[in-house]
Amino acid sequence: MRKFTAEINEKDFGKEVELCGWVHEVRDLGGLVFVVLRDREGFAQITLPKKAVDREMFRRARKVRRESVVRVKGTVKAEEKAPNGFEIIPEEFEILNEADAPLPLEVTEKVPAELDTRLDSRFIDLRRPRVQAIFRIRHAMLQAIREFFDRRGFIEVNTPKIVSTATEGGTELFPITYFEREAFLNQSPQLYKQTLMAAGFERVLEIGPIFRAEEHNTIRHLNEAVSIDIEVSFTDHEGVMRYLEELVKYIHERISERCERYLEWIGVKIDIPEIPFTRLSYDEAVEIVKGKGEEVNWGEDLSTSALKLVAEDYSGYYFIVDWPTESKPFYAMPHENDPEISKTFDLMHGWLEIASGAQRIHIHDMLVRRIYEQGLSPESFGFYLQAFRYGMPPHAGWGMGLDRLVMAVLNLSNIREGVLFPRDRQRLVP
Ligand code: AMO
């Protein structure tokens, strides 16, 4: 019966199993050959004593090149010195596809490689257990997110990624040719998820790509990212912040339950964060930064260096709330008693922004005024604005960068580590 290496245990001792995978290593001791077979769950030692196995097979196994794909059928034997305490004495050793040599990249962790070199040969890089583990955990996170929202009555939707307008500022747009017209890749499902509130969906979730023409090459920016977006009717910013902190806690719980082995491969320990997260106001954050000698103009976004100063005092997850209205997009709701400040929040992990959200303006005329005030033209928002005229409930929502979350939870030094085939200023292949 075909199994993964990690599925073999004492119950299989003396029995026959079939394994498929890659040749990780061959050790030739003359009268004895060890082939380490690797599959997506781990390793198994295939032991070929010259005297005890078929001669032709012995010759084949001894010569097989590293990273060739093989199928092995054999008997499981207890062996203390082998990985996981067993070895396999093969009856069949079939080379399904021989790998060329030399390899463009080493799979064994013995030779360290630069991230760029690794990304160039990503298919091989992804064979490394440490790298595989990141994507197994990313999968578990996505599962947890869907479980969490499904139980709370959310409807998962898919909105268009080819669009006619910007939502998060015009400079970061990727233009494309849409037959005879100009169109753009969507920066955020913002306008659509709000429109679905007018459609009466009440609670929506979207997990999908967002595109930002960020010029800067940083460890936390991608040109194509995955965003987890929610929008909820009949609630305010506080209501959706609660969903956010409960979700983040739930994700940590689920991956520590489900991904023990993969966390071990990466060498990461998960601490379940306590909720509620601290709410630090923008004004308090500015005070901290100024207190440490860095200038901040009230009303502006906080720079990376400013956020690093804040993070000296606030580690782990915390919110920065009540941002100046002018620093946030047009759709954010200003506070009734102080319209200079908006009902907005960013979820931080140390200095890294993980998510941002707001209570939205649901009043048509107020929204049009804010669009003008931000130097935009209401004509570009025709379909969106129409939805506010015929029964738009009060609502709030947020967007969280999945790639940033993976980076934070697994303590990765670069966002690209957690993305299969990252897109940045330099990289369009693979
Ligand atoms: P914002 O622009 O803050 O808000 O984006 C939300 C979250 O998406 C992630 N993100 C990115 N991740 C990697 N590379 C990028 N270039 C990038 N840009 C954004 C971040 C960020 O916190 N419409 C609002 C959300 C809302 O109010 O519902 C929005 O897009 O983790």
Side-chain angles (χ1 to χ4, degrees):
M1 191 175 73
R2 177 153 123 71
K3 288 197 168 191
F4 284 120
T5 50
E7 289 169 337
I8 296 176
N9 55 36
E10 298 95 74
K11 288 193 199 120
D12 298 296
F13 290 173
K15 292 195 189 140
E16 188 172 83
V17 293
E18 183 182 330
L19 294 174
C20 289
W22 285 258
V23 174
H24 190 68
E25 228 182 313
V26 182
R27 265 177 291 145
D28 185 354
L29 309 180
L32 185 63
V33 168
F34 295 113
V35 176
V36 179
L37 177 146
R38 187 190 69 245
D39 65 13
R40 68 172 215 199
E41 305 296 340
F43 299 92
Q45 176 176 302
I46 318 296
T47 306
L48 297 101
K50 193 171 183 178
K51 292 202 183 111
V53 298
D54 174 73
R55 255 176 66 193
E56 217 292 307
M57 182 172 74
F58 182 80
R59 197 193 55 79
R60 214 182 311 136
R62 170 188 237 168
K63 291 241 173 80
V64 67
R65 286 199 288 259
R66 281 187 303 128
E67 296 307 312
S68 298
V69 181
V70 293
R71 189 185 62 83
V72 174
K73 212 181 213 176
T75 311
V76 185
K77 249 184 69 186
E79 171 53 66
E80 267 180 28
K81 281 178 260 159
N84 311 317
F86 71 87
E87 62 180 2
I88 289 168
I89 314 293
E91 281 105 55
E92 290 173 30
F93 188 100
E94 186 186 354
I95 300 173
L96 299 175
N97 206 346
E98 180 96 31
D100 278 354
L103 296 165
L105 188 76
E106 285 295 326
V107 177
T108 54
E109 306 274 351
K110 286 173 197 156
V111 195
E114 293 289 326
L115 184 57
D116 253 335
T117 315
R118 291 174 41 206
L119 292 175
D120 286 342
S121 299
R122 190 60 155 163
F123 72 99
I124 292 206
D125 183 51
L126 290 166
R127 291 181 189 172
R128 297 170 194 243
R130 210 194 88 80
V131 183
Q132 280 266 318
I134 296 173
F135 295 94
R136 303 301 289 275
I137 296 166
R138 190 176 156 121
H139 160 77
M141 284 183 183
L142 281 167
Q143 287 285 111
I145 293 164
R146 291 198 160 100
E147 278 161 22
F148 180 91
F149 285 117
D150 185 51
R151 286 188 200 143
R152 286 162 180 78
F154 280 69
I155 300 168
E156 186 170 348
V157 298
N158 305 102
T159 64
K161 304 304 155 207
I162 302 176
V163 297
S164 67
T165 48
T167 62
E168 309 299 318
T171 55
E172 293 171 358
L173 269 177
F174 279 118
I176 57 166
T177 305
Y178 191 69
F179 305 105
E180 56 288 332
R181 272 182 291 171
E182 185 179 53
F184 306 97
L185 294 177
N186 208 4
Q187 297 170 302
S188 156
Q190 186 66 35
L191 306 186
Y192 292 98
K193 61 180 183 168
Q194 285 194 260
T195 303
L196 291 175
M197 298 302 100
F201 278 47
E202 201 160 315
R203 270 168 259 170
V204 298
L205 163 70
E206 176 157 13
I207 302 176
I210 57 168
F211 303 91
R212 308 267 170 114
E214 311 268 2
E215 289 283 348
H216 313 286
N217 237 337
T218 77
I219 58 161
R220 67 178 202 282
H221 285 99
L222 295 164
N223 293 116
E224 177 175 348
V226 171
S227 179
I228 317 292
D229 274 89
I230 71 158
E231 204 62 31
V232 184
S233 290
F234 308 108
T235 192
D236 60 8
H237 54 304
E238 284 288 347
V240 290
M241 281 161 76
R242 279 194 291 277
Y243 278 123
L244 185 50
E245 59 196 357
E246 281 172 19
L247 171 68
V248 168
K249 181 172 183 217
Y250 183 70
I251 291 171
H252 282 74
E253 286 169 349
R254 289 298 282 142
I255 64 171
S256 66
E257 285 162 15
R258 282 188 63 188
C259 302
E260 207 180 329
R261 242 151 46 80
Y262 306 120
L263 289 165
E264 220 168 85
W265 289 1
I266 314 181
V268 168
K269 205 183 145 290
I270 298 290
D271 293 319
I272 313 292
E274 274 180 34
I275 56 171
F277 297 152
T278 302
R279 274 104 168 120
L280 180 74
S281 72
Y282 172 85
D283 283 359
E284 288 166 325
V286 166
E287 281 311 307
I288 292 174
V289 177
K290 284 187 170 164
K292 295 183 179 191
E294 186 168 317
E295 258 323 293
V296 190
N297 292 323
W298 194 93
E300 283 176 7
D301 205 358
L302 298 174
S303 66
T304 305
S305 64
L307 290 171
K308 284 187 172 163
L309 293 175
V310 175
E312 289 172 359
D313 299 3
Y314 290 87
S315 59
Y317 296 101
Y318 62 98
F319 285 109
I320 302 181
V321 300
D322 296 340
W323 290 74
T325 305
E326 64 186 285
S327 74
K328 287 289 179 184
F330 61 83
Y331 49 74
M333 179 67 104
H335 276 283
E336 293 83 7
N337 44 8
D338 188 358
E340 298 274 284
I341 291 174
S342 56
K343 298 184 175 182
T344 50
F345 56 89
D346 281 5
L347 175 66
M348 308 297 299
H349 183 267
W351 62 274
L352 184 69
E353 178 200 314
I354 305 281
S356 71
Q359 182 182 327
R360 323 299 190 183
I361 296 175
H362 60 285
I363 312 292
H364 175 270
D365 294 357
M366 189 176 178
L367 191 57
V368 171
R369 205 168 57 241
R370 286 291 300 134
I371 289 175
Y372 274 126
E373 279 169 13
Q374 296 234 340
L376 300 165
S377 112
E379 290 77 60
S380 347
F381 295 97
F383 84 88
Y384 172 70
L385 284 172
Q386 191 194 25
F388 288 76
R389 290 176 53 205
Y390 306 99
M392 174 63 96
H395 60 279
W398 46 252
M400 170 161 70
L402 177 64
D403 319 283
R404 292 238 181 125
L405 183 71
V406 171
M407 185 183 174
V409 173
L410 300 182
N411 200 15
L412 305 176
S413 56
N414 191 315
I415 194 167
R416 293 162 183 76
E417 294 265 4
V419 179
L420 285 174
F421 301 105
R423 289 288 169 265
D424 62 32
R425 191 73 177 78
Q426 267 82 43
R427 190 172 286 282
L428 194 55
V429 279

